[in-house]
């Protein structure tokens, strides 16, 4: 879009948003980054998130502040398992999605086959938005995604741009664009599509913000990354929260990042994604002002390891330092096992272990090793049991008995009632199920 002077390349270790040495060396994104650019007359903020499965919890944290998502798929690989995981997450957070199918310059890639795969494995409303197709077929396919629009189309023979925007915003259609980022094939068409079909949200006048990430800059200042979701935030404003002990702290600085550089501003309006200094009690997922707390993340680590410290290292001091790292990477769930005198940590996989070793060495000058790992597991019941709960709201009394029975392993939780309506009225049964 003309916002930076030269193209970076991952394989040349000069990608604009891979600002950490570890990211450049490995050629992967580890931490989500921010960049500002103009999309036509829209000021857009890009949040670049990791694609590697070991860092997908970092990606999930950003979902709570997105207006739209761009799901990047390799044309050479098609829809893989991790893509389906991301798709389920985007559905859970109700985020409208644009598809960019990349690497279409590689031999063996077939647009029609890939388009069919997207329809079969993700959603049949994934539609090709390329300009090289028959406009009548395109409009018919669009009209089929919404009953009301189908009636309008049959009456008028046309579909307005505002209708297409609404379909995308309501997750009733998912535009697909194809090309090669490296060779800039199809990129302009894709950016035109984004500018044409993205809607700027309307925000409330009362202040609200959603915290999605905690980090530290090179000087060690604690940064609270947030999206302003209502009103505005000014420097020296007092913010407060209720988690644990109630707190109130002053905003020292508001930074708008683009890559590794930032611009300090006096005020951030609704819609702005910024980093704030001066806050020590915030956490990822926290809602400030009119915002409530975020949903509990879906992606959780599956492995637990013991962190082995060098002999000369004081365990308690090291644990306090490592807890600082947990603020930035909450899924680590660091625990001090007093009976064994050990620090345990949960991780997503082997690559994350390597990155953590490097981070701990770089940040705290401690060379740690990871002991043998074990799978994190959850317990369930093996045989039927009766559970009893009693409730006393507003001086009324109710007692509910639930029959708990084991389901198939991995099948999740099912709630049902087999109580006759002659015995208990339908709306009471519904209330209990809720």
């Amino acid at each position: 879009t003309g916002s930076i002077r030269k193209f970076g390349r991952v394989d040349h270790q000069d990608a604009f948003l891979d600002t950490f040495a570890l990211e450049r060396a490995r050629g992967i994104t580890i931490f989500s980054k921010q960049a500002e650019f103009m999309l036509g007359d829209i000021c857009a903020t890009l949040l670049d998130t990791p694609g590697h499965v070991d860092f997908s919890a970092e990606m999930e944290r950003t979902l709570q502040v997105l207006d739209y998502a761009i799901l990047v798929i390799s044309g050479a690989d098609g829809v893989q398992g991790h893509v389906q995981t991301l798709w389920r997450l985007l559905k859970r957070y109700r985020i409208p999605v644009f598809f960019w199918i990349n690497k279409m310059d590689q031999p063996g890639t077939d647009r029609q086959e890939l388009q069919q795969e997207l329809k079969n494995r993700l959603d049949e409303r994934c539609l090709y938005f390329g300009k090289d197709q028959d406009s009548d077929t395109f409009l018919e396919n669009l009209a089929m995604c919404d009953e009301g629009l189908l009636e309008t189309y049959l009456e008028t023979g046309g579909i307005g741009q505002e209708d297409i925007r609404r379909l995308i915003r309501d997750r009733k259609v998912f535009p697909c664009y194809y090309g090669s980022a490296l060779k800039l094939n199809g990129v302009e068409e894709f950016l035109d599509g984004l500018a044409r079909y993205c809607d700027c949200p309307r925000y409330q006048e009362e202040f609200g913000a959603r915290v999605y990430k905690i980090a530290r800059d090179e000087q060690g200042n604690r940064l609270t990354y947030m999206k302003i979701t209502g009103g505005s935030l000014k420097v020296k404003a007092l913010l407060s929260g209720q988690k644990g002990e109630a707190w109130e702290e002053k905003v020292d600085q508001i930074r708008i990042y683009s890559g590794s550089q930032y611009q300090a501003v006096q005020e951030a309006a609704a819609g702005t994604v910024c980093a704030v200094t001066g806050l020590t009690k915030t956490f990822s997922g926290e809602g400030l002002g009119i915002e409530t707390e975020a949903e509990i993340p879906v992606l959780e680590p599956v492995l637990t390891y013991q962190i082995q410290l060098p002999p000369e290292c004081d365990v308690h001091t090291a644990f306090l330092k490592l807890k600082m790292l947990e603020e930035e990477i909450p899924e680590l769930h660091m625990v001090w096992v007093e009976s064994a005198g050990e620090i345990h940590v949960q991780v997503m996989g082997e690559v994350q272990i390597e990155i953590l070793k490097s981070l701990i060495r770089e940040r705290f000058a401690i060379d740690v090793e990871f002991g043998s790992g074990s799978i994190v597991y959850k317990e369930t019941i093996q045989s039927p049991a009766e559970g009893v709960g009693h409730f006393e709201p507003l001086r009324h009394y109710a007692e509910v008995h639930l029959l708990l029975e084991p389901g198939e392993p991995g099948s999740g939780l099912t709630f049902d009632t087999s109580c006759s309506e002659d015995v208990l009225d339908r709306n009471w049964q519904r209330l209990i199920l809720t």
Side-chain angles (χ1 to χ4, degrees):
T1 58
S3 55
I4 57 174
R5 291 189 175 184
K6 72 183 186 79
F7 291 108
R9 278 177 59 161
V10 171
D11 51 344
H12 293 175
Q13 298 192 359
D14 62 356
F16 180 72
L17 288 169
D18 289 344
T19 54
F20 286 80
L22 285 168
E23 295 178 310
R24 296 193 164 190
R26 281 187 170 267
I28 57 172
T29 302
I30 298 168
F31 304 104
S32 59
K33 312 293 185 333
Q34 173 183 348
E36 303 268 307
F37 62 95
M38 292 304 293
L39 197 59
D41 56 358
I42 300 170
C43 179
T45 302
L46 170 73
L47 293 180
D48 179 40
T49 66
H52 194 288
V53 66
D54 277 19
F55 305 104
S56 46
E58 174 83 5
M59 176 277 310
E60 187 182 359
R61 282 191 276 283
T62 67
L63 296 186
Q64 47 199 327
V65 298
L66 297 187
D67 297 316
Y68 290 86
I70 299 167
L71 187 51
V72 181
I73 294 176
S74 162
D77 301 324
V79 178
Q80 297 191 311
H82 189 49
V83 171
Q84 291 181 296
T85 302
L86 298 177
W87 184 247
R88 285 194 291 272
L89 283 171
L90 290 163
K91 184 177 180 181
R92 182 193 191 225
Y93 288 94
R94 300 175 292 282
I95 300 170
V97 180
F98 286 80
F99 283 91
W100 168 255
I101 296 87
N102 196 22
K103 303 185 182 178
M104 291 303 290
D105 56 323
Q106 292 192 6
T109 51
D110 183 307
R111 182 176 61 74
Q112 286 175 323
E113 271 183 31
L114 284 161
Q115 190 61 42
Q116 198 53 50
E117 189 179 7
L118 290 170
K119 285 175 175 285
N120 293 345
R121 297 190 63 185
L122 299 181
D123 196 298
E124 60 182 17
R125 296 165 301 175
C126 293
L127 294 189
Y128 175 51
F129 264 59
K131 290 175 181 169
D132 60 342
Q133 61 178 320
D134 178 67
S135 62
D136 289 341
T137 310
F138 174 63
L139 292 176
E140 278 173 28
N141 289 337
L142 268 178
M144 296 293 282
C145 295
D146 181 73
E147 278 186 33
L149 193 60
L150 181 58
E151 286 180 23
T152 308
Y153 175 67
L154 292 173
E155 284 171 17
T156 65
I159 295 175
Q161 189 169 301
E162 194 49 54
D163 288 322
I164 302 175
R165 282 180 169 188
R166 180 181 54 78
L167 285 182
I168 296 168
R169 193 177 61 237
D170 295 347
R171 286 182 49 89
K172 289 185 174 176
V173 71
F174 306 99
C176 303
Y177 292 87
Y178 290 78
S180 163
L182 185 63
K183 298 188 176 171
L184 290 183
N185 296 338
V187 174
E188 282 200 22
E189 190 181 336
F190 174 59
L191 290 173
D192 287 346
L194 278 181
R196 183 176 290 127
Y197 299 124
C198 279
D199 257 347
C200 289
R202 291 182 179 87
Y203 295 104
Q204 296 186 46
E205 288 183 19
E206 199 178 338
F207 171 73
R210 162 81 60 225
V211 177
Y212 72 95
K213 173 176 151 166
I214 304 296
R216 282 173 175 77
D217 65 12
E218 289 173 356
Q219 286 73 44
N221 297 311
R222 189 180 189 272
L223 301 174
T224 299
Y225 281 83
M226 60 177 75
K227 178 185 179 183
I228 312 301
T229 56
S232 70
L233 179 66
K234 292 185 173 130
V235 170
K236 302 304 176 195
L238 281 173
L239 294 180
S240 57
Q242 296 296 330
K243 186 81 172 187
E245 294 175 23
W247 59 267
E248 188 174 65
E249 294 180 322
K250 193 182 286 183
V251 171
D252 285 341
Q253 201 178 31
I254 301 171
R255 301 177 179 181
I256 311 287
Y257 272 88
S258 233
S260 57
Q261 305 298 312
Y262 69 84
Q263 179 188 358
V265 297
Q266 290 301 305
E267 185 175 5
T272 307
V273 177
C274 57
V276 170
T277 65
L279 306 180
T280 62
K281 304 278 199 308
T282 45
F283 60 91
S284 175
E286 185 170 16
L288 301 172
I290 55 171
E291 285 290 340
T292 55
E293 271 183 44
E295 295 182 52
I296 295 166
V298 172
L299 298 177
E300 285 285 332
V302 291
L303 302 164
T304 182
Y305 283 83
Q306 177 203 344
I307 289 186
Q308 297 170 338
L309 300 165
E312 71 278 5
C313 195
D314 178 65
V315 180
H316 293 94
T317 310
F319 181 62
L320 290 173
K321 286 179 176 176
L322 292 171
K323 285 296 275 184
M324 285 169 63
L325 206 56
E326 188 187 13
E327 281 191 327
E328 300 165 36
I329 313 170
E331 71 273 13
L332 294 178
H333 300 302
M334 298 235 181
V335 270
W336 168 249
V337 184
E338 193 154 353
S339 57
E342 294 173 351
I343 299 170
H344 286 199
V345 62
Q346 292 182 14
V347 296
M348 303 287 270
E350 294 289 325
V351 179
Q352 192 180 26
I353 288 174
E354 291 304 312
I355 298 302
L356 281 173
K357 281 185 189 175
S358 302
L359 268 178
I360 294 165
R361 189 184 310 120
E362 195 180 286
R363 187 81 67 84
F364 310 118
I366 305 172
D367 281 309
V368 301
E369 288 299 327
F370 284 73
S372 55
S374 61
I375 302 290
V376 176
Y377 68 94
K378 292 181 179 177
E379 292 183 344
T380 185
I381 56 172
Q382 285 190 315
S383 55
E386 192 174 312
V388 182
H390 81 265
F391 308 89
E392 297 183 40
L394 305 172
R395 293 196 292 280
H396 290 282
Y397 177 82
E399 185 168 293
V400 173
H401 290 241
L402 297 171
L403 179 63
L404 308 174
E405 294 177 308
E408 283 294 312
S411 62
L413 301 173
T414 308
F415 300 91
D416 203 359
T417 172
S418 57
C419 179
S420 162
E421 287 183 30
D422 296 336
V423 176
L424 187 64
D425 199 52
R426 181 80 187 142
N427 64 330
W428 295 119
Q429 294 198 35
R430 264 207 299 268
L431 190 63
I432 293 165
L433 282 169
T434 306

